[in-house]
Amino acid sequence: MNPSLADMHRGLDKTQAIVQHILRHIPLPRRCTPDSKYSLTKPLVVGLSGPQGIGKTTITNKLVSTLTGAPHNLRVFTFSMDDLYLSFKEQEMLREAHPNNKLIEFRGLPGTHDLKLGSNTFRALCDANLSWYESDSGHHTEGDKPRPVVLQPSYDKAAFSGCGDQVPKEQWKQEQGPFDIVLFEGWSLGFRSIRDRVRMKKIYEEADAKGLFLAQHSLESLEWIDNTLREYERDLYEFMDIFVHLSAPNLSTIFKWRAEQEKDLWAKKGTGMGDEQVREFVKRFMPAYELYLERLKSENVFSSSRSECLGSEEIDEAQGGGDGGSKRESSLLSTLPFRGRHLRVDLDQDRDMISTTLVE
């Protein structure tokens, strides 16, 4: 762990460390805006990723409580990848179009989300801020100035006997802007496409000997997921300014945590999944973890987009090429849009923080 980061986070719990990471970036320029008109008014979009059972919802609620309360008093909008699942009819159509791909038979993995809904929600948030800050303030006082409204998407997992469906739009919660922060969470958020068929084939050929879950599916099914991830990077990731990855000790912990959640559900509501049902449920997600999680742990989720914000000549110069490259290296690299924005929070089996790392 970076020594300075260790000093900053010493004595903090995981929520406090994440809050510090968020607050540090609020006054800084946004990473890359999807539209230049948003560059000065865009809310800080925080991507929060972590496997099932790690406590993303609990941490999100704590973050909202801390950030909206004194002394910060910030305006926060939250939504989740789970709010963006395809409608029941669209999921049925997807399953019928790919009958041999068991990975997308039910909702959950990349390819089963309404990316247009996600992108439209992000743009609505950006537009809300733009309209608020660029409106003619001379006609209104702060108290009577009409606040922009953004609808919060909602999904009902219990609909259609547990198959799920999008909640009708007229029932979505209305949130009033402007917004300082947007918290967006999801178990697969930050996973990036491999984009290399040779490498994918090699991973697949070695999977059976390694006892990986992905060996239980066809290479074509895995390639479909991988190709679909490119759309997530294009339609959703471009809006994120900073990223937080809650990292589990190992993949087996995910089974343990999910089983614990079901036991709590049984205790509270008298219903839930048994241990074997939990195992079968979690197994559906394992191929994605096996393909993408290690990269998320070790490589900055924004690093591949550095060329979108800096020209190739500037990057070459920052890396030592061109005239005077060595003189500008440290100063220009410090302004690269991905540096310092990806925080990994390593947790133990009890979900307590072990360490934090700025992934570069």
Side-chain angles (χ1 to χ4, degrees):
M1 180 170 60
N2 186 306
S4 61
L5 195 65
D7 292 338
M8 284 194 300
H9 292 165
R10 183 174 291 114
L12 302 182
D13 62 22
K14 56 181 180 282
T15 303
Q16 293 168 329
I18 296 170
V19 166
Q20 192 174 84
H21 182 60
I22 293 172
L23 294 177
R24 184 166 64 89
H25 285 89
I26 287 180
L28 299 180
R30 300 299 176 252
R31 189 178 62 91
C32 285
T33 59
D35 192 314
S36 60
K37 68 181 179 180
Y38 300 137
S39 60
L40 299 178
T41 61
K42 179 177 178 283
L44 182 76
V45 178
V46 182
L48 177 64
S49 181
Q52 289 97 333
I54 203 167
K56 294 185 297 298
T57 300
T58 300
I59 289 179
T60 297
N61 291 337
K62 290 181 178 180
L63 291 175
V64 171
S65 178
T66 301
L67 294 168
T68 58
H72 310 301
N73 301 314
L74 298 168
R75 301 180 68 88
V76 181
F77 183 99
T78 67
F79 70 120
S80 166
M81 293 281 285
D82 286 0
D83 299 318
L84 304 179
Y85 284 127
L86 295 170
S87 68
F88 174 75
K89 290 183 178 180
E90 290 170 326
Q91 180 62 44
E92 286 287 287
M93 292 171 61
L94 180 67
R95 181 173 61 184
E96 291 171 1
H98 304 277
N100 297 320
N101 191 340
K102 298 303 180 182
L103 292 169
I104 54 173
E105 185 176 6
F106 302 105
R107 67 176 187 270
L109 273 77
T112 64
H113 297 89
D114 186 340
L115 297 183
K116 184 177 181 181
L117 173 57
S119 179
N120 286 346
T121 302
F122 277 122
R123 289 192 176 275
L125 289 161
C126 293
D127 286 335
N129 275 24
L130 185 66
S131 67
W132 173 264
Y133 292 114
E134 293 196 351
S135 63
D136 184 2
S137 59
H139 290 84
H140 302 280
T141 62
E142 183 70 17
D144 68 0
K145 186 177 178 180
R147 291 188 174 276
V149 173
V150 177
L151 296 177
Q152 185 182 54
S154 182
Y155 188 88
D156 182 3
K157 293 182 179 179
F160 291 97
S161 302
C163 291
D165 197 11
Q166 293 179 358
V167 173
K169 192 171 183 178
E170 56 270 18
Q171 297 179 24
W172 293 0
K173 186 177 179 181
Q174 297 185 9
E175 297 285 358
Q176 288 190 333
F179 305 97
D180 300 298
I181 297 169
V182 175
L183 297 178
F184 180 57
E185 60 97 348
W187 72 271
S188 63
L189 193 63
F191 288 2
R192 288 188 289 165
S193 172
I194 294 173
R195 301 177 186 233
D196 185 337
R197 293 197 68 184
V198 174
R199 183 182 169 202
M200 176 69 86
K201 186 177 180 181
K202 184 175 186 295
I203 293 172
Y204 186 73
E205 289 173 344
E206 296 173 350
D208 192 46
K210 293 181 178 180
L212 300 181
F213 288 97
L214 63 86
Q216 300 174 16
H217 301 271
S218 68
L219 177 59
E220 291 74 20
S221 294
L222 297 167
E223 287 179 330
W224 189 93
I225 296 291
D226 193 66
N227 290 331
T228 301
L229 266 178
R230 301 187 187 193
E231 300 173 18
Y232 284 68
E233 297 173 46
R234 181 195 66 209
D235 296 342
L236 300 182
Y237 295 9
E238 68 169 355
F239 289 95
M240 296 192 300
D241 296 297
I242 65 174
F243 190 79
V244 177
H245 175 209
L246 301 172
S247 181
N250 50 60
L251 290 182
S252 62
T253 310
I254 301 173
F255 289 96
K256 173 180 177 290
W257 285 341
R258 194 65 181 82
E260 290 174 352
Q261 285 185 327
E262 289 302 315
K263 289 178 181 178
D264 289 341
L265 193 61
W266 273 107
K268 293 176 182 178
K269 297 186 176 182
T271 184
M273 292 186 287
D275 289 346
E276 188 57 34
Q277 288 175 305
V278 169
R279 181 168 179 78
E280 290 302 311
F281 173 81
V282 176
K283 276 172 58 177
R284 291 198 295 115
F285 301 90
M286 281 296 140
Y289 287 127
E290 292 168 342
L291 285 172
Y292 307 113
L293 190 55
E294 284 306 310
R295 183 183 182 189
L296 184 62
K297 288 182 178 180
S298 60
E299 185 177 315
N300 189 295
V301 74
F302 302 118
S303 61
S304 64
S305 63
R306 73 186 75 174
S307 61
E308 297 173 6
C309 299
L310 288 176
S312 58
E313 293 182 0
E314 288 180 292
I315 292 174
D316 288 342
E317 188 173 345
Q319 295 172 337
D323 297 333
S326 58
K327 295 180 181 179
R328 291 192 61 198
E329 180 176 359
S330 60
S331 62
L332 188 51
L333 280 177
S334 67
T335 65
L336 285 173
F338 64 91
R339 291 185 60 87
R341 295 179 181 267
H342 180 155
L343 177 70
R344 191 184 75 232
V345 182
D346 295 309
L347 306 183
D348 62 20
Q349 291 199 19
D350 296 320
R351 303 180 183 85
D352 292 324
M353 185 172 76
I354 301 172
S355 63
T356 56
T357 303
L358 285 177
V359 180
E360 302 293 354

